[in-house]
Amino acid sequence: MSESSKQPPLNEKLVEVMVQTILRKNGVKPGEVKNNIPEEQKKMIREMVEDLKKQVADFQQNQAKDKSE
């Protein structure tokens, strides 16, 4: 595997940093959050993240098409 394939894409890093900053500002500890979220909410969050990933991929494809035209 190449070095770039081992690292998460930039947009994932950005989201991670933003989430960590928001949690830290509000005094939320990641360990507490994991233990206090019901399974139904976890499922909804996973679905939302997958939808956002798809939207980002679609957007990136459209941007690449526009640049090549």
Side-chain angles (χ1 to χ4, degrees):
M1 253 185 203
S2 69
E3 186 66 29
S4 63
S5 64
K6 292 180 185 177
Q7 297 177 350
L10 182 60
N11 57 353
E12 287 181 26
K13 288 180 183 179
L14 178 61
V15 170
E16 185 175 340
V17 169
M18 290 175 62
V19 169
Q20 288 176 354
T21 301
I22 292 168
L23 292 175
R24 188 175 35 251
K25 283 183 180 179
N26 290 289
V28 178
K29 296 178 181 158
E32 292 174 0
V33 173
K34 288 181 182 180
N35 296 329
N36 293 328
I37 297 177
E39 281 301 316
E40 184 176 316
Q41 282 185 334
K42 288 179 185 180
K43 181 181 176 190
M44 290 173 63
I45 292 169
R46 284 185 198 106
E47 290 172 357
M48 183 175 60
V49 168
E50 290 303 317
D51 289 343
L52 287 171
K53 283 182 181 180
K54 184 181 181 307
Q55 289 176 18
V56 168
D58 291 345
F59 177 77
Q60 289 174 333
Q61 282 182 336
N62 288 338
Q63 291 298 313
K65 278 184 190 177
D66 289 345
K67 286 184 180 180
S68 66
E69 290 178 349

